[in-house]
Structures are given as structure tokens and as C-alpha cells.
């Protein structure tokens, strides 16, 4: 079932959902099930699975020359989605990227997903590779998520890349996209970011999932800005409990989001990582309760494969 239908069917009852990432290459599917099992009691209507594109590594050869090696550290998104739908009978949502794909690859991926009875996708651009400053699309690939949305929306109308295809069947994907309460790191302003967000919706996106935020005011202001700009589709907040001291530096750097001073100082003064985890759980629980009280239809947790803290929050909220 589509995410938008899940929201409609919930009739105001808040829904719990979460995101997982594929395990590192070499691990098995059981590690995924172990991270999902503890959260099933909260009846997630859907589970997102992230996509990780190939990166390059340089290996020194005996000659001293460097060999460029392609590595894919977290493969398996499509297989994991199929396994989730098969085992739990819950909608699995693969994230799909512009980066690393030309349009033909994307079309073939979408055909696989359609054949697997996957009804939802989240369409994303992807980040620049570690050794690049700017994001670079593949040759004949999509440059922005808005173009990827158009390609998916076209396939939903039976429009394939090969215009000569006869009697082609249409897909029926519900398309999610990313939104950034504190603006995307490359966007020159919030207004320009919202302008391009609108483009994705015009092209066919049906709901927004936000980047993580730690101050609900940022989310509420973002929703108000979107609504004022004429965006009417559901906006699902993305939430992440802080779990380690290192994340105080990592999260602002990696995701371009701010942490509130109270949260920072509480974590700084914590004696050990158990104490940090508890602070993260309590902070995220308060955020969640306020969002539910404000009538937000779905809360979406970035579990990063660690169910324990998300479970502690969900117990208090759902
Ligand atoms: P876009 O919507 O294309 O926007 C990218 C930037 O370009 C923005 O600054 C925007 O304002 C600007 N822009 C958009 N259109 C135009 C235009 N036509 N002209 C000029 N500027 C434009 N990454 C992964 O690799 N795998 C994942 O699974 C993944 N999941 C994510 C899930 C969520 C909910 C979120 C919030 C992010 C996720 N990301 C993931 C990260 C995401 O890929 C990056 O944030 C990426 O840098 C931007 O993706 P986007 O889809 O928002 O890009």
C-alpha cells in the first residue's frame, strides 16, 4: 500500500515508521531482521531502506602506482526490501538515487521494484562522492531529484525511455522526496530550497520526509513556510536520538543541522555513553510527544540499525 494511503487510513492516529541501512558487505540478512524484530510491536506501516552508491578506494600496487578500486560497502537495498515485505508483510521503501545511475539503470531498477510488488520509493539525488566537492551525475543520468521524480512519474504513466515501446504497462509508485527544515547544505537560502522542493512536487512527488532536526521549532517553521508556498502534501518529520558524544561534531558537519545548546551541554557533561544514550532518548521522546500533540500524522526514526533506543522512545509515544 502507498504511504499516502497509510496516512489516510490512520485517520489521525499517529504512525510509527523507521529507516534502516543495509549491513556492511559480508554480513547476512539476519542482522537486518535483528534490528527490525524489536520494533514490530509498534506496527510500522512502512520501513525505509537506504541506498548506498559505489565509492572509490585507491590501492597501492607493488610498483608504487595507485589502482582505482570500486567498492560498494553496503549493497543489498532491493533484496532487503523484498525480504522485509516477504517476512513482515510491511511495505518496504527503497531509497533510489540519481548518483551512480544513468536513466537506463534507473528504469531497470524501477522495473525490478515493480515486479517485486514494491509500491513506494523515495527519490533522492545522493551526495557528492567523498573525493569530489560537487555532486556529479552519471553521463545520461539525472542531475537533480526533481528529474528522477519525473522519470518515475513518467513510468507511472507507462512512458519508458524507449518511446517506441508498444503497449507498455505502467507502474504505480508513490513517490517520496527529501526536505530540509534547516535547508539543504548546498542551498544558498531556505527560499531557494523550498522553490526546488516545489519543483519535485510539481513533477509528481506525493510526500516529504525531512532531514533530522533536534529543535521542533525548525520543523514547525519549515512546515509553515511550505504551506505558505502552496505545498499541501504530507510532511513527515525525521528524528534521530543522539547516542554518542562523537555525534555532537559529526551530525552538524555531515547533515548541516544545528543542535540546541541545552542538548549539547547535557551530552558534554554526561559521564559515559550510557548516559549520552539516555539523554538522546529523553530528548527525542519529548520532541516526538510534541509532534504527536501537534497532530503530525507519521513520525519517522533514523534507527541506523540500532533498535534499542528507538524502542525506548516508541514505548513512551505510541
Ligand atoms: P535535490 O532535491 O536534487 O536537491 C539538491 C540540492 O540542489 C539542494 O540544495 C536544492 O536546493 C538544489 N536544487 C534542486 N533542484 C535544483 C535545480 N534545478 N537547479 C539548481 N539547484 C537545484 N543519501 C543517500 O546516498 N542514500 C539514501 O538512502 C539517502 N536517504 C535520505 C533520506 C532522507 C529523508 C534525506 C533527507 C536525505 C537522504 N539522503 C540519502 C541524502 C541526500 O541524498 C542528500 O541530502 C543529497 O545531497 C540531496 O538529495 P535531494 O534528493 O534532497 O536533492
Amino acid at each position: 500500500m502507498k504511504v499516502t494511503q497509510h496516512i489516510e487510513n490512520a485517520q489521525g492516529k499517529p504512525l510509527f515508521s523507521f529507516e534502516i541501512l543495509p549491513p556492511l558487505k559480508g554480513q547476512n540478512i539476519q542482522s537486518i531482521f535483528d534490528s527490525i524484530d524489536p520494533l514490530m510491536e509498534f506496527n510500522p506501516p512502512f520501513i525505509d531502506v537506504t541506498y548506498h552508491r559505489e565509492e572509490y578506494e585507491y590501492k597501492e600496487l607493488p610498483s608504487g602506482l595507485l589502482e582505482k578500486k570500486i567498492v560498494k560497502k553496503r549493497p543489498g537495498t532491493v533484496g532487503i526490501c523484498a525480504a522485509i515485505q516477504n517476512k513482515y508483510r510491511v511495505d518496504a521503501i527503497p531509497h533510489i538515487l540519481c548518483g551512480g545511475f544513468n536513466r537506463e539503470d534507473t528504469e531497470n531498477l524501477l522495473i525490478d521494484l515493480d515486479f517485486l510488488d514494491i509500491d513506494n520509493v523515495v527519490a533522492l539525488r545522493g551526495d557528492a562522492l567523498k573525493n569530489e566537492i560537487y555532486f556529479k551525475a552519471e553521463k545520461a543520468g539525472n542531475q537533480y531529484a526533481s528529474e528522477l521524480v519525473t522519470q518515475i512519474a513518467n513510468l507511472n504513466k507507462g512512458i519508458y525511455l524507449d518511446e517506441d515501446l508498444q503497449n507498455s504497462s505502467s507502474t504505480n509508485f508513490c513517490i517520496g522526496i527529501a526536505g530540509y527544515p534547516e535547508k539543504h547544505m548546498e542551498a544558498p537560502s531556505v527560499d531557494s530550497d523550498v522553490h526546488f522542493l516545489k519543483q519535485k512536487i510539481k513533477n509528481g512527488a506525493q510526500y516529504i520526509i525531512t532531514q533530522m532536526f533536534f529543535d521542533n521549532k525548525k520543523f514547525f517553521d519549515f512546515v509553515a513556510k511550505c504551506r505558505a508556498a502552496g505545498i499541501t502534501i504530507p510532511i513527515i518529520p525525521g528524528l534521530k536520538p543522539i547516542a554518542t558524544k562523537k555525534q555532537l561534531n559529526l551530525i552538524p558537519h555531515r547533515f548541516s543541522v544545528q543542535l540546541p545548546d541545552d542538548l549539547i551541554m547535557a551530552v558534554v557533561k554526561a559521564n559515559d555513553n550510557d548516559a549520552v544514550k539516555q539523554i538522546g532518548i529523553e530528548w527525542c521522546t519529548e520532541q516526538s510527544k510534541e509532534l504527536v500533540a501537534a497532530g503530525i500524522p507519521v513520525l519517522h526514526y533514523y534507527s541506523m540499525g540500532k533498535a534499542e533506543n528507538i524502542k525506548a522512545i516508541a514505548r513512551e509515544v505510541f
Side-chain angles (χ1 to χ4, degrees):
M1 198 195 292
K2 295 178 172 193
V3 167
T4 45
Q5 284 171 305
H6 281 298
I7 294 174
E8 267 173 49
N9 293 352
Q11 295 188 327
K13 189 176 176 290
L15 300 174
F16 164 80
S17 73
F18 61 96
E19 174 187 293
I20 56 169
L21 65 166
L24 286 168
K25 193 181 260 189
Q27 292 186 25
N28 62 31
I29 190 84
Q30 191 55 42
S31 61
I32 286 293
F33 297 151
D34 290 345
S35 69
I36 294 176
D37 285 342
L39 300 176
M40 287 311 291
E41 67 179 275
F42 306 107
N43 298 320
F46 58 88
I47 298 170
D48 278 50
V49 184
T50 55
Y51 197 97
H52 299 262
R53 68 184 285 199
E54 287 163 349
E55 288 276 352
Y56 299 107
E57 263 178 16
Y58 288 91
K59 194 177 140 207
E60 191 170 347
L61 298 172
S63 64
L65 292 172
L66 293 178
E67 182 188 44
K68 194 173 175 183
K69 218 177 133 206
I70 295 174
V71 279
K72 187 155 188 170
K73 289 193 179 138
R74 293 185 185 273
T77 300
V78 175
I80 290 168
C81 285
I84 289 174
Q85 296 209 156
N86 188 34
K87 181 172 162 74
Y88 300 101
R89 306 282 157 204
V90 163
D91 283 301
I93 308 186
H95 291 188
I96 61 176
L97 303 181
C98 301
F101 286 77
N102 63 35
R103 288 190 186 86
E104 190 76 39
D105 298 333
T106 299
E107 185 168 280
N108 293 338
L109 170 65
L110 290 166
I111 290 169
D112 279 344
L113 298 176
D114 185 47
F115 288 174
L116 285 168
D117 219 8
I118 288 172
D119 296 332
N120 301 276
V121 290
V122 174
L124 300 144
R125 188 196 69 178
D127 286 321
L129 292 174
K130 282 191 194 109
N131 55 347
E132 290 175 353
I133 298 174
Y134 298 108
F135 172 82
K136 259 202 248 140
E138 292 298 300
K139 198 164 168 242
N142 293 307
Q143 172 69 35
Y144 292 108
S146 54
E147 296 170 9
L148 177 56
V149 172
T150 299
Q151 186 176 2
I152 303 164
N154 277 343
L155 216 59
N156 281 349
K157 294 181 208 141
I159 302 170
Y160 287 68
L161 294 173
D162 177 357
E163 289 166 5
D164 295 333
L165 273 190
Q166 299 288 317
N167 301 321
S168 48
S169 71
S170 24
T171 56
N172 192 20
F173 292 112
C174 178
I175 308 168
I177 46 167
Y180 301 84
E182 298 177 61
K183 90 171 182 60
H184 181 252
M185 61 184 78
E186 295 163 26
S189 71
V190 179
D191 283 348
S192 89
D193 213 20
V194 171
H195 170 81
F196 290 120
L197 187 61
K198 278 183 80 172
Q199 185 66 49
K200 295 194 266 192
I201 297 160
K202 192 167 162 245
N203 293 1
Q206 288 153 285
Y207 68 96
I208 298 165
I209 303 194
T210 78
Q211 182 56 278
M212 64 185 76
F213 56 89
F214 296 87
D215 174 355
N216 284 354
K217 187 173 179 311
K218 309 252 187 211
F219 175 77
F220 292 130
D221 288 351
F222 173 68
V223 173
K225 208 170 198 31
C226 289
R227 300 301 181 224
I231 293 174
T232 55
I233 61 174
I235 304 178
I236 300 175
L239 296 163
K240 174 173 169 41
I242 294 269
T244 64
K245 281 198 183 197
K246 269 191 188 155
Q247 288 173 346
L248 286 186
N249 306 103
L250 190 89
I251 287 175
H253 174 68
R254 185 103 171 259
F255 302 106
S256 196
V257 299
Q258 286 178 356
L259 299 171
D261 285 339
D262 289 355
L263 175 61
I264 296 172
M265 288 320 295
V267 172
V268 166
K269 288 179 189 163
N271 289 332
D272 54 31
N273 261 338
D274 283 345
V276 174
K277 242 185 221 159
Q278 191 52 32
I279 291 164
I281 289 169
E282 284 167 19
W283 189 275
C284 194
T285 301
E286 286 314 305
Q287 276 192 280
S288 305
K289 284 183 175 170
E290 192 183 17
L291 291 163
V292 167
I296 303 302
V298 192
L299 305 193
H300 188 70
Y301 293 91
Y302 294 111
S303 82
M304 320 291 272
K306 307 237 173 356
E308 205 184 299
N309 48 0
I310 306 295
K311 185 172 177 165
I313 296 161
R315 267 209 197 116
E316 296 293 320
V317 180
F318 295 92

